[in-house]
Amino acid sequence: RMVRVAQRVHAFKEAWMLIRGLSDSVRTLFWTCVVVCFVTYIFAIFGLLAIIMPLQERYNELLSQQATDEDSLETVLKLEEVLEISTGMDQLMYTLIQILMGDSYHSFTRTIMKHLQWSWLYFYSYIAVAVLVLMNLVTAIIVDNALSTSRMDEESQVKQKEMAKDRDIRELKKLFDTMDADGSGTLSWDEFKDSFDDPEMSKKWVLLDFQPGECRELFSLLDDGDGEIATEEFFDGLRRMKGLAQSKDIFRMQKCIVHVAGMLEEVKDQVNTLKHLRPQVFTKRAVPISPSSGSSFASTLHHQLLGNSPGPDPPEPGEEPPAALPEQL
């Protein structure tokens, strides 16, 4: 249960990626250890033959000479320390792993270089192969696995959303077919209202978070003005309103804004048409309006444009008469 919470909650996204990265990197870690051991084994074999055996011979030679000066004794002690950590396959492999981990290794490599000057090539070759190449490859593989896992999670979420959307569409289609009693492909007000009166259908509406008292309002929201709800209107509207009451409120507000914008656009077009046909009707002398007769402005304008009223007062002497209205009006 905690894993599901960490997977779904956005705040735990990074933690979930780390957990998935660790689980997906187990196989990579196993093969990394295998390859590291193999590379170290190969270098250990070469080191035993090319470095440790000559050092052992040098150490035996110094012991046979039974040198008593301080330099010879110091050399013997240092060689003895080097041979203790490198004699044998397991000891040399462990020493190479120490080099791989970046531990201090210059103390014994310098001792070896005093007797075998080319030995630095051996150690730095191992560092180049095991550290610079192999470890960076492992890092790249782990990062690639993490990115692939993240993409798979995103694709899985997209698929889940698509499946949920398809399931909602099937449920809404089944609901629409049940409500469409006459099979016309549209829902009338009577069919819509009957679905809320039916006990079984009413339960489905309650599951969609719609109460019987919202029947008229819901029909008005889904209807585009022709008195019937088409299939696309039904699916699109309910899919957008399905959920919490906050979603329904937002959708209701959107419908109201669209309706008001349409009314304002229609009024604007009518006013522009009137201005174009008869600019004089908007002048003070053309249509006298008293403060108490503001509501009759549209009626006066209508009669003047159609010629059903005497129109405005005749012009004063010397004033040009208003232009005649087009005959097609």
Side-chain angles (χ1 to χ4, degrees), residues 37-300:
C37 291
F38 176 75
V39 173
T40 304
Y41 179 77
I42 298 299
F43 272 85
I45 293 175
F46 181 79
L48 286 175
L49 296 176
I51 295 178
I52 303 303
M53 290 182 64
L55 287 179
Q56 186 70 46
E57 294 176 358
R58 176 60 177 168
Y59 175 72
N60 294 331
E61 181 182 349
L62 290 175
L63 288 179
S64 63
Q65 293 177 359
Q66 296 181 355
T68 57
D69 58 294
E70 294 182 0
D71 293 338
S72 299
L73 291 176
E74 184 179 357
T75 302
V76 170
L77 291 176
K78 289 184 177 180
L79 280 176
E80 186 176 354
E81 293 177 357
V82 171
L83 293 174
E84 286 180 358
I85 62 174
S86 59
T87 302
M89 181 65 70
D90 55 342
Q91 293 289 338
L92 185 55
M93 288 185 65
Y94 185 83
T95 303
L96 291 176
I97 295 297
Q98 178 182 349
I99 296 174
L100 176 65
M101 295 294 104
D103 199 356
S104 178
Y105 55 89
H106 290 92
S107 58
F108 61 84
T109 55
R110 290 185 181 276
T111 301
I112 297 174
M113 288 176 59
K114 289 182 180 180
H115 302 278
L116 298 172
Q117 295 183 356
W118 59 269
S119 60
W120 65 272
L121 290 173
Y122 169 79
F123 293 106
Y124 282 104
S125 297
Y126 178 76
I127 292 174
V129 174
V131 179
L132 300 181
V133 177
L134 184 59
M135 291 295 103
N136 286 328
L137 283 176
V138 172
T139 303
I141 293 173
I142 293 176
V143 171
D144 183 68
N145 289 338
L147 293 176
S148 300
T149 302
S150 178
R151 286 193 295 266
M152 290 175 61
D153 289 341
E154 293 177 356
E155 293 176 357
S156 177
Q157 292 178 2
V158 171
K159 290 181 179 179
Q160 290 179 359
K161 290 182 179 179
E162 291 178 353
M163 292 174 60
K165 183 178 179 181
D166 294 339
R167 184 174 61 253
D168 292 342
I169 291 177
R170 289 195 299 269
E171 293 177 356
L172 293 176
K173 187 176 186 305
K174 184 178 179 180
L175 179 62
F176 184 88
D177 294 338
T178 306
M179 295 170 61
D180 188 14
D182 57 0
S184 61
T186 57
L187 297 178
S188 62
W189 163 245
D190 293 333
E191 293 174 335
F192 195 82
K193 184 175 180 299
D194 291 341
S195 66
F196 278 88
D197 295 335
D198 184 80
E200 294 296 330
M201 295 292 295
S202 180
K203 293 179 181 179
K204 294 183 179 180
W205 283 117
V206 172
L207 292 176
L208 292 174
D209 200 19
F210 294 108
Q211 303 300 325
E214 299 176 332
C215 177
R216 169 60 69 177
E217 182 183 12
L218 180 59
F219 185 85
S220 301
L221 291 175
L222 296 177
D223 182 22
D224 61 354
D226 58 358
E228 292 184 341
I229 301 175
T231 307
E232 294 181 358
E233 298 171 355
F234 184 81
F235 288 170
D236 182 65
L238 285 185
R239 193 165 57 244
R240 293 170 62 184
M241 285 190 294
K242 186 178 179 181
L244 301 176
Q246 183 179 4
S247 302
K248 296 188 294 184
D249 295 338
I250 293 175
F251 184 72
R252 183 185 299 113
M253 183 177 62
Q254 290 176 347
K255 293 287 289 188
C256 292
I257 292 174
V258 171
H259 184 63
V260 172
M263 294 176 60
L264 291 176
E265 191 67 25
E266 184 178 355
V267 171
K268 179 181 178 182
D269 294 339
Q270 293 178 357
V271 172
N272 290 335
T273 303
L274 292 176
K275 286 183 178 180
H276 177 71
L277 294 177
R278 187 71 182 272
Q280 290 82 359
V281 300
F282 291 95
T283 62
K284 183 176 180 181
R285 290 178 55 82
V287 183
I289 302 175
S290 61
S292 62
S293 61
S295 62
S296 63
F297 172 68
S299 177
T300 305

